[in-house]
Amino acid sequence: MASGEGKKSKANASGEGKKSKANASGGAKKKEVKRETGLGLTNSKDENFGEWYSEVVVNAELIEYYDISGCYILRPWAMSIWEIMQVFFDAEIKKMNIQNCYFPLFVSPGVLQKEKDHVEGFAPEVAWVTKSGESELEVPIAIRPTSETVMYPYYSKWIRGHRDLPLKLNQWCNVVRWEFSNPTPFIRSREFLWQEGHTAFATKAEADAEVLDILELYRRIYEEFLAIPVVKGRKSEHEKFAGGLYTTSVEAFIPNNGRGIQGATSHCLGQNFAKMFEINFENEKGEKGMVWQNSWAYSTRTIGVMVMVHGDDKGLVLPPKVASYQVIVIPVPYKDADTKGIFDACAATVDTLSKAGIRAKADFRDNYSPGWKYSHWEMKGVPLRIEIGPKDLANSQVRAVRRDNSAKIDIPSAKLVEQVQEMLDNIQQNLFDIAKQKRDASVETVRTWDEFVGALSQRKLILAPWCDEEEVEKDVKARTKGEIGAAKSLCSPFDQPELPEGTICFASGKPAKKWTYWGRSY
């Protein structure tokens, strides 16, 4: 389990049953076209976050609801975001000599149950195939919730000596995790897409180094591509991967509802799975040893976090680096205008931008007004809109409108590429800066239990000194349990503030060992 989908929570960002009636794909009535709100959302992000999210993911054409609860159709607008991240990550892991492979979806019960802690961690979520046609299967077959137990019997077969190490494999695939309540598109779904890396090394030092190298790639996906600030840190013993040695993660935060969200995880599995699956090797001296293993993954959850952090009451807001179209060009012909000249200028603009490596498209549909198109592409979150009307044509210019802050600027055609690229870079940076400002404003440092409870009621991301004891964490969960879910540790940041001598744990009063982020989470 590498991206947090498996943990149970009462949090629900979507209100699964309430499908949005708003339609951004052309079903608006004629009279609505004149109003910019004709395609608008019926819920506000600040006032009704869950319903707002549920509307945005449908109206922006990211997903469509499916007839099986907790399963969603990922539409091309969502898949293009996933593919852009995939291209980056796949190239980076190949630089690390990690190879792609594919293992089957099905798992035999004997293999799944081999690692006791691991199977207990996943047992409630495992889906089983029990029939073939009308016949009951003699032995039910599990559908992978993650692939450690699928892959490691074959690592045992392939690894014999030190020359077979390291073995570094990754697969891009889907996984299924069934038993949970409150499904939420991208955040908690029964089936989701991810990559999962599984590596084996001769030494712990090599495994430890890779854990952090991969975690840095996950930070880059969130901060450089999705423009979302994250904290890198280590999970508590209670929250670590079932059966692993330790878990590191990147943690994001949603200020609107005060919830942390595990963005991606990189686990050191230690030698536990090697012991269970007998993954042994002979070193240069002829001595027998067990391998050290890692597993790491990020999933389509990334897209949901992006929607939650950047979206607004007009819909989706896409960072330029992950936008399928970075620029949408819209002709604005008036009654007696030179329509052909305007359309030709739009086509030339798209051509110029495309040749410069900017993803651009023109909307030439003649059955919608320019105003309707503005709303439609704002809903879909395209970072920059270019309008070309008679005045622009006469002045050899275009009008550019930013999605993130609605700022408008006239750009001379001669400086089109240079200024558009600069605006896209500014939008990318601005989205990150605003998200970081909001996240930082939500952080509260506490030292006592009363301060902790107060900060929790204000939906804060809480940094507190902790004694690092599992029983104390369980007690925090028990004492904060309520309608909107209990608080838990999110991670202990690698970048630790100074811990003065004599500092005590906020929850137990025992000597504190570290600073840890706490809060409610997805």
Side-chain angles (χ1 to χ4, degrees), residues 95 116 135 156 226 253 255 284 307 355 418 441 443 445 466 484:
K95 290 177 192 172
K116 184 171 169 288
S135 308
S156 173
L226 299 171
F253 186 73
E284 298 95 323
V307 176
K355 283 176 178 170
E418 177 191 336
V443 176
T445 302
W466 181 38
I484 54 173

Side-chain angles (χ1 to χ4, degrees), residues 292-394:
W292 291 85
Q293 289 177 271
N294 293 338
S295 71
W296 30 270
Y298 80 96
S299 76
T300 40
R301 165 175 279 209
T302 46
I303 299 171
V305 181
M306 178 202 70
V307 176
M308 289 180 168
V309 169
H310 300 308
D312 61 20
D313 287 349
K314 290 181 181 178
L316 188 61
V317 179
L318 288 174
K321 280 194 177 179
V322 293
S324 182
Y325 302 133
Q326 297 168 312
V327 179
I328 187 72
V329 181
I330 297 176
V332 191
Y334 299 119
K335 219 172 198 177
D336 302 317
D338 176 6
T339 303
K340 185 181 184 303
I342 290 170
F343 274 49
D344 287 348
C346 288
T349 298
V350 169
D351 188 51
T352 301
L353 293 173
S354 298
K355 283 176 178 170
I358 294 166
R359 298 186 289 276
K361 175 187 169 71
D363 188 344
F364 289 128
R365 291 177 292 176
D366 58 7
N367 56 331
Y368 296 113
S369 71
W372 188 95
K373 292 176 185 178
Y374 296 168
S375 294
H376 173 72
W377 293 107
E378 281 177 346
M379 180 69 75
K380 288 174 74 72
V382 173
L384 197 63
R385 179 175 80 236
I386 284 180
E387 305 163 9
I388 301 179
K391 181 185 164 194
D392 304 300
L393 194 63

Side-chain angles (χ1 to χ4, degrees), residues 1 3 9-10 21 51 65 166 168 171 233 307 317 326 342 363 366 368 377 399 403 441 453 518:
M1 183 185 75
S3 63
S9 166
K10 292 183 179 178
K21 291 179 182 173
E51 296 298 323
Y65 284 92
K168 302 199 277 188
Q171 64 174 357
V307 176
V317 179
Q326 297 168 312
I342 290 170
D363 188 344
D366 58 7
Y368 296 113
W377 293 107
R399 167 154 288 195
R403 174 65 182 86
V453 172
W518 298 77

Side-chain angles (χ1 to χ4, degrees), residues 127-394:
W128 295 89
V129 179
T130 58
K131 289 177 81 172
S132 167
E134 292 304 310
S135 308
E136 295 285 338
L137 293 183
E138 195 174 318
V139 179
I141 295 170
I143 299 174
R144 64 176 169 225
T146 180
S147 297
E148 281 76 8
T149 57
V150 179
M151 299 170 79
Y152 297 167
Y154 300 91
Y155 280 40
S156 173
K157 184 179 180 180
W158 298 336
I159 295 170
R160 285 285 178 260
H162 63 93
R163 292 181 185 84
D164 300 321
L165 293 170
L167 178 59
K168 302 199 277 188
L169 300 180
N170 174 71
Q171 64 174 357
W172 296 92
C173 62
N174 61 341
V175 285
V176 173
R177 296 180 185 170
W178 201 260
E179 193 57 47
F180 63 83
S181 57
N182 298 326
T184 303
F186 297 114
I187 304 298
R188 288 176 65 78
S189 54
R190 290 208 154 107
E191 179 190 9
F192 54 89
L193 302 180
W194 74 352
Q195 59 68 219
E196 52 176 324
H198 295 269
T199 52
F201 300 91
T203 65
K204 183 174 184 291
E206 291 172 281
D208 288 338
E210 189 204 59
V211 164
L212 297 182
D213 289 343
I214 293 293
L215 197 68
E216 173 60 12
L217 292 182
Y218 292 150
R219 182 202 65 79
R220 289 182 63 191
I221 284 172
Y222 273 94
E223 296 197 343
E224 295 178 15
F225 283 78
L226 299 171
I228 296 168
V230 290
V231 175
K232 291 202 291 189
R234 183 163 169 156
K235 287 287 192 184
S236 68
E237 283 297 299
H238 187 60
E239 291 292 330
K240 75 177 184 181
F241 181 72
L245 181 62
Y246 66 86
T247 290
T248 67
S249 67
V250 289
E251 301 284 333
F253 186 73
I254 312 299
N256 291 76
N257 62 3
R259 289 190 182 274
I261 186 157
Q262 183 173 286
T265 45
S266 183
H267 315 285
C268 179
L269 301 179
Q271 295 181 307
N272 197 22
F273 287 90
K275 185 178 179 183
M276 295 299 154
F277 290 95
E278 298 178 13
I279 312 175
N280 302 312
F281 73 102
E282 200 172 273
N283 67 19
E284 298 95 323
K285 298 174 183 174
E287 301 163 339
K288 285 279 187 185
M290 283 189 296
V291 299
W292 291 85
Q293 289 177 271
N294 293 338
S295 71
W296 30 270
Y298 80 96
S299 76
T300 40
R301 165 175 279 209
T302 46
I303 299 171
V305 181
M306 178 202 70
V307 176
M308 289 180 168
V309 169
H310 300 308
D312 61 20
D313 287 349
K314 290 181 181 178
L316 188 61
V317 179
L318 288 174
K321 280 194 177 179
V322 293
S324 182
Y325 302 133
Q326 297 168 312
V327 179
I328 187 72
V329 181
I330 297 176
V332 191
Y334 299 119
K335 219 172 198 177
D336 302 317
D338 176 6
T339 303
K340 185 181 184 303
I342 290 170
F343 274 49
D344 287 348
C346 288
T349 298
V350 169
D351 188 51
T352 301
L353 293 173
S354 298
K355 283 176 178 170
I358 294 166
R359 298 186 289 276
K361 175 187 169 71
D363 188 344
F364 289 128
R365 291 177 292 176
D366 58 7
N367 56 331
Y368 296 113
S369 71
W372 188 95
K373 292 176 185 178
Y374 296 168
S375 294
H376 173 72
W377 293 107
E378 281 177 346
M379 180 69 75
K380 288 174 74 72
V382 173
L384 197 63
R385 179 175 80 236
I386 284 180
E387 305 163 9
I388 301 179
K391 181 185 164 194
D392 304 300
L393 194 63

